Amino acid sequence: MAKHYGRGIAAVNYPTGMNLGGDPTQALIFCQPTGGFSVKLASTDLGQGLKTVIAQIAAEALGVPFDSVIVDTGDTDSAPHCMGTFASRATHRVGNAVIMAANEARKALLDVAAEEMEAAPEDLVLENGEIYVKGAPERKTNVFNVALAAHFKYGKTISGRGIYLKQKSSLDPETGACDPDSTEAHATTVAEVEVDDETGEIKVLRLASAYEVGRQINPEMVKGQIVSGAVMGMSHALMETVFPYYPALDHHTYSFGEYIIPTALDIPEIESVVLEYPSSNGPYGVKGVGEMTANSPIPAIVNAIYDAVGVWVTDLPVTPEKVLRALEEKSLETH
Amino acid sequence: MGVKQLGIVGQSVKRRDGIGHVTGQTQYVDDVFYTGMLWLKMVRSPISRGIIHGIDTSKAEAFPGVVTVVTAKDVPNNWYTILCLIGVEPNDEPVLAHEEVMYFGEPICAIVAETEAIAAEAAGLVKLDIEELPPVLDMEFAISPDAPAIKKWGNNTFMYDGYNHRKLRFGDFEKAIQQADHVIEGDYSLSPIEHAPIETHCCVVKPEPDGRLTVHSNTQALYFTMDNTAIILQVPSQRLHMIGGTVGGGFGGKVDVITEPITCIAAMKTGRPVKWRWTREEEMRKSSTRAGVKMHYTDGVMKDGRIIARKVRSLEDSGAYHRHSPYGVQKHMANLPGPYTIPNVWVDAYCVYTNRQPSSAMRGFGVTEATFAVECQMERIARTIGMDSWEIRLINAYRNGQMRPVRKVVEDATLIETIQAAAELIGYELPAHLKAMSSDDYAGNGGHHG
Amino acid sequence: MESITVTFKLNGKTTAVAIEPLESLRTVLREHLHLHATKAGCGQGGCGSCTVLVNGEPVLSCLMLAALADGQEITTLEGIGTPQHMHPLQAAFFDRFAAQCGYCSPGMIMAAKALLDKNPHPNRAEIAEALAGNLCRCTGYVTILDAIEDVVTQMQEA
């Protein structure tokens, strides 16, 4: 009777965007008279931080301070279509639509600035809300002045429309040939576990992962996804089922009393590194990271259990009961 | 890695909604209250499969405080399927059941009352006359000839272009498996699980004086929900005004368009605001789950570790209705071979119907299950042929420029780089030849089928 | 049933409210008094998102009859800080990205406050123990534990 240490690895890919594509998102941007920019979206923040990363992308693309960008999302009367938040698509799709809208608004802004400054628009630089003539930084103005002039002197709009659509791929029903993704993010997780061969209990000691997510818009929030996914993956591997005797319906769960998910007491050591290899079609090279973080921990843990006690338990969740049954079967085989 | 330094992109700025969250000021749907608001509770099927002979709502309607009862005849377009917007057919799910029940907890009629407690009490007064039939629960049984067809089209699988499964065919599996040094098989399965966001489903609908409906929803997809709701209500989408965008966790569980249509009908019928919020028990036992999945892998592997053939049969338990599963199985099909260069692949992926609460989208569905199986199978191969766990993955990892079984050329591959980085992170020294590998080395695994 | 009136001290202010005898404290806080920070996650005592302080003790307000709050001192998240004047725990949760969807945050912060009011110098294991009745599905708890540890450190330095 002993506790056995094991280590397992798993390397995974994850597609960005809806399978086969065909999932558009639009954005509108307009400039207020004093230089604030409102980004109008019908997209949803589930807690992953979309409202924040979109403000970052808009500020970057417009060339204005982060605080001057307002993200107004979640109202179908005031914003155009978004397919929704799922399939690790939001930052990729919404971000691309916002960059397209920002580019149009930025061009409109610089056209007015050029008129006001008596310069060619292509000679103007817009950085952090300041506008100056390339090579002549003393010839300068700012977004505040240009926005006022556009509204009250020239009668010009400063706004932009954006959409991103990966056109829907066909799928050959005979071969399955299709274009299933926009890009692929990747991850490798190393799980370390301790398995008690007397009780069948599994303790996950450590989940260490390397992620490659294109580009991080907000590294702390990427880390937030990685850590949360590690815990959800561990939970999926070891704890969760609606039907403990699936496919039978007996003992189905009604509450958090029977449906077990981790608490603050169940958290292993979680470490990660993030690599950035920008994708060709994501906003600033983004790849979707939302869903994938709960994936690699699952097989890494199952592989670590095999490493620890030499049994394959590949029917999730890996409960102590299943581990003990597998150990018993193994001991019967060897005797 | 040559990533261009940007300005605010790449900075860990604080969350825009963070202060609202930590001070309790963020408004979620359940925080919306209107004067004169009614409450809705659902009467649900107490059994997994049966024929409805009668629904007697008279006692519930007469109960003090009950304003109306919504049944199937109040639903303008009762039969629907949410993915009709991307071409999935046929409509297979009733908003409210009236002919038969297909799962325990299926919605039958809605009680709308002055308080939530009255609605709940009156729900218990609806008399259901349902003839019970034996449920079909096991997927292997469901696709066998002995099973009763629980779907109207005469079998228990989704039909993909005339086939009862999605196919992936690449190279020649049958020939290649004969040439393999090892044939290694594995079974992998997952039980249905629950999304378990801390915020349950909630919808508040307010009829406006101009005839429009303001719909507060915690859906993950506002327009998708609006357009599906409009189809069910048979009204132009412009009559609906969706407000949302702030969700207390979703994980795929809040894209089923399951609360909005009925709450809208209740508001239209009564002319008053209506709130419907789900209990945790409804969330656990009646909302959609991640599908149960069973996969069988048969791999042909050479002594040097190259996988030359892979065959996968996968059954995904859609439960009683489509919801998002026909889509999920298709995504599953594309991901079942894994991120490895394998020249001969055969996949059959089935979307199977059973008398269980429908399964639907959940974080990574289709892919999560595939990568679980693939990565356990890779380990099994390594252990069987006596190869190192890192090496088996690195030598088979897909490289940029190679052809995936779906016939898309690999781009943006970094599987090798993350494996190397993970080894470094835990202080494991990979041998020099594995450390030198790169996703850009097209010939690095002998793959020439690009 | 006849309604009854209960009187308690709510966030420092004496408050009288007419309730149905069997209503929970959570329902009274959220639906009669419209203090919406206290969240409804399960109504079964399983998730902790409705945690409030009753005489300084953390209590699941979904399981407590409001009638029993008569004469007691109730503190909700609204009572410990505002966006302009955040409680150190609120500020730390914000700084550490410890709120993702935010639905568990009110209960988490109240449970943490109950701990720190009693034990200003808990170690990480003691913090985790005190939060074990509060579920979070988004964060994986690490940032939450980090945030509370930050406050413990600040209090030690102060």
Side-chain angles (χ1 to χ4, degrees):
Chain A
M1 300 301 161
K3 288 182 176 174
H4 304 267
Y5 167 90
R7 190 176 77 190
I9 66 171
V12 305
N13 63 311
Y14 198 86
T16 298
M18 251 174 85
N19 181 250
L20 306 184
D23 55 327
T25 284
Q26 296 190 33
L28 295 177
I29 294 181
F30 71 89
C31 180
Q32 299 172 332
T34 54
F37 282 85
S38 182
V39 181
K40 311 291 284 185
L41 303 169
S43 306
T44 302
D45 198 326
L46 306 180
Q48 83 279 33
L50 185 72
K51 290 168 186 168
T52 309
V53 297
I54 290 307
Q56 290 179 259
I57 289 171
E60 186 81 39
L62 286 162
V64 301
F66 178 67
D67 289 340
S68 72
V69 175
I70 301 145
V71 173
D72 175 26
T73 190
D75 188 326
T76 54
D77 272 12
S78 65
H81 177 261
C82 171
M83 196 85 181
T85 299
F86 49 83
S88 299
R89 66 182 295 285
T91 305
H92 187 277
R93 271 38 173 173
V94 183
N96 274 328
V98 164
I99 289 175
M100 182 177 169
N103 287 341
E104 188 176 321
R106 191 176 201 271
K107 183 178 179 306
L109 177 80
L110 290 177
D111 283 348
V112 175
E115 205 162 336
E116 190 74 347
M117 296 168 80
E118 296 178 351
E122 57 274 19
D123 291 340
L124 297 182
V125 178
L126 166 54
E127 272 174 2
N128 206 30
E130 304 293 321
I131 301 168
Y132 60 89
V133 178
K134 215 177 289 170
E138 70 287 354
R139 288 180 64 198
K140 64 180 181 185
T141 183
N142 56 38
V143 170
F144 177 87
N145 290 328
V146 176
L148 276 178
H151 281 80
F152 300 108
K153 184 171 166 190
Y154 298 102
K156 292 245 169 94
T157 57
I158 298 173
S159 57
R161 303 156 296 168
I163 185 165
Y164 185 81
L165 171 67
K166 176 183 182 288
Q167 286 187 339
K168 191 172 180 180
S169 159
S170 62
L171 187 149
D172 182 339
E174 306 300 330
T175 65
C178 65
D179 177 357
D181 53 32
S182 286
T183 179
E184 294 278 345
H186 299 87
T188 297
T189 292
V190 184
E192 295 179 33
V193 304
E194 195 177 73
V195 183
D196 186 324
D197 67 10
E198 190 171 10
T199 65
E201 280 177 286
I202 299 146
K203 186 172 169 57
V204 178
L205 305 170
R206 184 186 189 199
L207 292 169
S209 301
Y211 274 83
E212 191 286 300
V213 300
R215 182 194 287 274
Q216 306 183 82
I217 302 296
N218 185 312
E220 277 301 323
M221 293 204 294
V222 170
K223 194 173 160 196
Q225 292 296 315
I226 292 171
V227 171
S228 75
V231 173
M232 193 184 262
M234 176 185 83
S235 182
H236 193 176
L238 302 179
M239 298 177 174
E240 293 184 39
T241 174
V242 181
F243 303 108
Y245 299 98
Y246 178 77
L249 303 179
D250 316 29
H251 301 275
H252 52 71
T253 56
Y254 280 107
S255 75
F256 286 120
E258 313 89 37
Y259 194 85
I260 308 302
I261 65 172
T263 73
L265 289 171
D266 302 313
I267 305 310
E269 191 186 328
I270 300 170
E271 289 166 84
S272 59
V273 290
V274 179
L275 313 178
E276 293 182 303
Y277 288 74
S279 69
S280 60
N281 53 37
Y284 301 110
V286 159
K287 299 177 175 181
V289 68
E291 297 170 297
M292 70 181 302
T293 56
N295 287 358
S296 50
I298 303 170
I301 289 168
V302 172
N303 292 341
I305 294 166
Y306 181 85
D307 189 52
V309 290
V311 294
W312 284 115
V313 185
T314 55
D315 174 38
L316 300 187
V318 184
T319 58
E321 178 183 341
K322 288 179 192 171
V323 172
L324 287 181
R325 287 185 191 285
L327 286 171
E328 190 182 359
E329 201 176 315
K330 186 186 162 204
S331 81
L332 290 175
E333 275 168 18
T334 46
H335 289 107
Chain B
M1 278 163 276
V3 180
K4 188 183 158 216
Q5 193 63 38
L6 297 170
I8 194 75
V9 162
Q11 306 289 317
S12 291
V13 297
K14 300 283 185 269
R15 293 181 66 102
R16 281 278 173 99
D17 50 10
I19 292 175
H21 287 357
V22 300
T23 58
Q25 303 294 304
T26 300
Q27 182 178 273
Y28 300 87
V29 181
D30 193 25
D31 300 333
V32 175
F33 289 85
Y34 286 111
T35 306
M37 188 171 80
L38 300 171
W39 296 79
L40 190 152
K41 279 284 177 188
M42 186 58 68
V43 175
R44 296 169 177 281
S45 172
I47 58 167
S48 295
R49 183 172 169 235
I51 298 165
I52 299 176
H53 293 303
I55 303 167
D56 180 0
T57 61
S58 55
K59 274 194 182 149
E61 282 173 83
F63 192 76
V66 170
V67 178
T68 194
V69 176
V70 179
T71 63
K73 64 179 188 306
D74 296 309
V75 186
N77 185 37
N78 195 42
W79 285 86
Y80 81 112
T81 191
I82 35 181
L83 287 182
C84 67
L85 298 180
I86 61 165
V88 169
E89 294 179 321
N91 289 335
D92 80 329
E93 181 168 5
V95 175
L96 293 171
H98 56 108
E99 297 167 354
E100 55 180 356
V101 289
M102 291 279 280
Y103 68 96
F104 174 90
E106 181 162 6
I108 294 173
C109 63
I111 312 294
V112 186
E114 297 289 346
T115 71
E116 199 176 26
I118 292 171
E121 197 171 344
L125 300 175
V126 173
K127 223 176 134 209
L128 300 173
D129 178 8
I130 305 177
E131 177 190 342
E132 193 162 0
L133 297 173
V136 174
L137 297 174
D138 182 82
M139 288 193 284
E140 293 287 2
F141 174 66
I143 62 170
S144 75
D146 302 333
I150 61 171
K151 302 304 286 185
K152 289 186 192 308
W153 55 86
N155 66 29
N156 296 327
T157 60
F158 185 76
M159 298 304 290
Y160 291 98
D161 298 300
Y163 295 112
N164 69 351
H165 58 281
R166 264 287 177 234
K167 297 170 191 289
L168 182 57
R169 304 284 185 268
F170 183 64
D172 187 342
F173 171 84
E174 293 300 344
K175 193 172 151 204
I177 197 76
Q178 302 299 326
Q179 294 159 358
D181 295 327
H182 304 270
V183 174
I184 298 167
E185 298 187 60
D187 284 302
Y188 305 95
S189 54
L190 305 89
S191 167
I193 67 168
E194 165 55 28
H195 307 83
I198 305 301
E199 179 203 43
T200 63
H201 278 82
C202 189
C203 181
V204 179
V205 179
K206 179 175 181 284
E208 299 294 346
D210 62 3
R212 298 183 74 213
L213 298 173
T214 300
V215 183
H216 300 269
S217 164
N218 53 15
T219 175
Q220 295 176 222
L222 287 163
Y223 270 91
F224 178 79
T225 299
M226 180 171 83
D227 293 336
N228 267 305
T229 302
I231 290 168
I232 289 166
L233 302 183
Q234 294 286 292
V235 300
S237 289
Q238 313 82 272
R239 222 178 130 190
L240 305 175
H241 176 193
M242 306 296 297
I243 298 176
T246 299
V247 179
F251 311 107
K254 290 174 179 159
V255 278
D256 279 357
V257 194
I258 207 72
T259 55
E260 297 84 0
I262 294 166
T263 314
C264 283
I265 290 166
M268 289 163 90
K269 205 174 165 190
T270 60
R272 289 170 64 179
V274 179
K275 178 183 276 194
W276 185 19
R277 61 180 174 192
W278 285 28
T279 63
R280 179 56 58 185
E281 186 262 338
E282 283 178 302
E283 210 60 49
M284 286 280 172
R285 188 61 183 91
K286 281 115 192 196
S287 81
S288 56
T289 64
R290 183 191 286 280
V293 180
K294 284 175 63 137
M295 294 158 282
H296 182 80
Y297 276 68
T298 307
D299 288 345
V301 184
M302 304 307 286
K303 284 190 189 114
D304 63 7
R306 281 178 302 124
I307 303 166
I308 60 161
R310 169 162 285 174
K311 184 174 193 172
V312 192
R313 176 176 182 268
S314 178
L315 305 180
E316 184 167 322
D317 187 346
S318 183
Y321 298 110
H322 299 329
R323 300 275 173 96
H324 291 274
S325 290
Y327 162 88
V329 169
Q330 188 163 287
K331 188 170 184 174
H332 186 53
M333 171 275 280
N335 284 280
L336 280 165
Y340 299 101
T341 292
I342 304 172
N344 303 286
V345 170
W346 176 300
V347 174
D348 293 335
Y350 295 77
C351 176
V352 183
Y353 298 94
T354 60
N355 291 114
R356 188 187 320 285
Q357 70 208 86
S359 51
S360 195
M362 184 170 176
R363 192 177 198 167
F365 76 133
V367 187
T368 304
E369 299 81 2
T371 54
F372 156 62
V374 167
E375 283 308 289
C376 291
Q377 180 72 5
M378 293 305 285
E379 195 61 31
R380 199 190 289 266
I381 292 169
R383 302 282 172 161
T384 306
I385 69 170
M387 180 175 263
D388 175 73
S389 304
W390 305 85
E391 184 166 17
I392 189 80
R393 291 171 171 86
L394 284 164
I395 63 172
N396 286 291
Y398 63 8
R399 269 76 169 164
N400 288 319
Q402 294 178 345
M403 186 65 90
R404 287 156 66 186
V406 291
R407 293 164 182 77
K408 181 174 183 177
V409 174
V410 179
E411 52 187 38
D412 299 340
T414 53
L415 193 73
I416 290 170
E417 288 71 16
T418 65
I419 294 170
Q420 292 162 336
E424 195 181 327
L425 179 64
I426 64 156
Y428 179 77
E429 186 70 17
L430 287 172
H433 73 285
L434 299 182
K435 241 180 173 171
M437 285 183 171
S438 155
S439 292
D440 286 326
D441 181 7
Y442 173 81
N445 58 359
H448 295 289
H449 20 268
Chain C
M1 262 183 275
E2 300 252 322
S3 69
I4 55 171
T5 299
V6 292
T7 306
F8 42 68
K9 204 170 220 186
L10 176 59
N11 297 329
K13 232 172 93 182
T14 302
T15 305
V17 58
I19 65 161
E20 302 289 317
L22 294 180
E23 280 180 310
S24 70
L25 178 60
R26 186 195 77 192
T27 300
V28 170
L29 290 171
R30 285 184 51 78
E31 292 167 27
H32 294 299
L33 300 167
H34 287 287
L35 291 175
H36 295 156
T38 302
K39 292 296 174 223
C42 71
Q44 301 165 323
C47 74
S49 56
C50 65
T51 304
V52 300
L53 305 187
V54 178
N55 305 327
E57 292 291 332
V59 164
L60 299 170
S61 62
C62 74
L63 294 186
M64 180 173 170
L65 286 175
L68 296 178
D70 194 59
Q72 315 296 311
E73 200 167 316
I74 315 292
T75 309
T76 70
L77 186 71
E78 288 96 337
I80 71 164
T82 64
Q84 291 72 34
H85 300 284
M86 284 193 277
H87 185 276
L89 280 164
Q90 293 172 317
F93 268 60
F94 174 62
D95 283 339
R96 283 287 194 168
F97 297 80
Q100 285 189 17
C101 86
Y103 217 74
C104 74
S105 307
M108 285 285 179
I109 292 170
M110 296 313 285
K113 183 173 189 303
L115 169 70
L116 298 191
D117 286 349
K118 268 204 206 100
N119 174 9
H121 307 300
N123 61 32
R124 201 168 170 96
E126 289 168 327
I127 297 169
E129 183 74 42
L131 296 184
N134 292 71
L135 298 179
C136 172
R137 191 63 155 166
C138 296
T139 64
Y141 303 99
V142 172
T143 50
I144 292 172
L145 297 173
D146 290 345
I148 298 167
E149 276 193 330
D150 282 357
V151 177
V152 172
T153 307
Q154 288 162 21
M155 294 194 326
Q156 275 164 342
E157 286 165 359

